[in-house]
Amino acid sequence: MKKVLPILLVDVVLVVVFCAIGRRSHDEANAVTGLLTTAWPFLGGLALGWIANEALYRDKARPASVVPAGIVIWFCTLVGGMLLRVVSGQGTALSFILVAGIVLAVFLLGWRAIYAAVARRSAAR
């Protein structure tokens, strides 16, 4: 659990940052409650992604890996987040889905790719 918690926290922070950037770009009010309203569907999708990764791969896929864990977690965060937004009456315009998909991929897959490159470089020394 000690190895997994920091990875989960990075994902949570990045999802919240994604939501905060989106709210800021639209000059939306109610900072804290608005952020929570925007973030909870994606945090729910993130939780679903972590559960799916564990169910599909058990101990075979490290949560910090890009493939398969990062892909599963990103996909579930995006799709689960959008489905939860629909259920809660929040918007899911196609342009929003595309932007969310790209930004969440950069965030959730990007840090994993950087982490893997640093780990490979450190191992090579």
Side-chain angles (χ1 to χ4, degrees):
M1 185 64 168
K2 286 182 181 181
K3 291 181 180 182
V4 173
L5 188 58
I7 299 166
L8 175 59
L9 288 176
V10 170
D11 281 352
V12 168
V13 167
L14 289 173
V15 168
V16 171
V17 167
F18 156 71
C19 294
I21 291 169
R23 291 191 59 77
R24 177 77 174 131
S25 70
H26 294 287
D27 293 323
E28 295 183 16
N30 300 329
V32 175
T33 56
L35 181 59
L36 291 174
T37 300
T38 303
W40 81 263
F42 293 103
L43 292 172
L46 179 67
L48 177 65
W50 273 75
I51 291 167
N53 183 62
E54 181 62 24
L56 290 169
Y57 299 107
R58 308 250 182 244
D59 294 326
K60 295 175 188 164
R62 296 174 303 121
S65 66
V66 175
V67 177
I71 300 293
V72 169
I73 291 167
W74 164 74
F75 182 79
C76 289
T77 301
L78 178 63
V79 174
M82 291 302 169
L83 290 173
L84 289 172
R85 283 180 63 87
V86 167
V87 169
S88 65
Q90 297 182 46
T92 55
L94 178 60
S95 59
F96 175 63
I97 295 170
L98 294 174
V99 169
I102 292 166
V103 174
L104 287 170
V106 168
F107 281 9
L108 297 177
L109 301 176
W111 83 260
R112 285 173 166 84
I114 292 167
Y115 177 82
V118 169
R120 276 192 305 273
R121 188 168 184 198
S122 294
R125 288 185 177 175

